[in-house]
């Protein structure tokens, strides 16, 4: 059985407590938030980030950011749902 290539996603922190750090992920969904089950976990005292804040979902060769938060997700200053 053939499998497709492994796609590695790099997320680079441009500000905040992890500024300058790069994280790599290869799964189809990247969960982001303060909850211990999240793939990209933020500190509990960073209340601007919800427990389960957002997901990055791979769809073929494209990626979609999905809001799963209670406080909203903003990209370039604009609130987004997905």
């Amino acid at each position: 059985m053939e499998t497709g290539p492994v796609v590695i996603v790099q997320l680079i922190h441009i500000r905040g407590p992890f500024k300058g750090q790069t994280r790599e992920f290869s799964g189809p969904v990247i969960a982001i938030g303060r909850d211990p089950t999240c793939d990209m976990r933020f500190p509990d005292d960073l209340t601007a980030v919800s427990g389960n804040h957002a997901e990055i979902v791979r769809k073929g060769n494209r990626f979609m950011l999905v809001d799963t938060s209670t406080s909203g997700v903003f990209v370039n200053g604009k609130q987004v749902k997905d």
Side-chain angles (χ1 to χ4, degrees), residues 10 29 70:
Q10 289 186 327
V29 176
T70 56

Side-chain angles (χ1 to χ4, degrees), residues 2 4 11 17-18 20 23 29-30 33-34 36 40 42-43 45-48 50-51 53 58 64 67 69-70 72 82:
E2 286 188 42
L11 298 178
F18 303 120
R23 301 270 316 270
V29 176
I30 303 165
R34 291 182 289 122
M40 180 177 276
F42 286 88
D45 63 348
L46 189 61
T47 56
S50 297
H53 196 77
R58 181 176 179 208
M64 179 170 49
D67 179 3
S69 74
T70 56
D82 59 358

Side-chain angles (χ1 to χ4, degrees), residues 42-79:
F42 286 88
D44 289 335
D45 63 348
L46 189 61
T47 56
V49 177
S50 297
N52 291 293
H53 196 77
E55 293 179 339
I56 298 173
V57 181
R58 181 176 179 208
K59 302 238 181 202
N61 291 326
R62 300 182 74 154
F63 295 87
M64 179 170 49
L65 178 67
V66 179
D67 179 3
T68 58
S69 74
T70 56
S71 56
V73 171
F74 295 80
V75 175
N76 297 326
K78 294 183 180 182
Q79 190 169 5

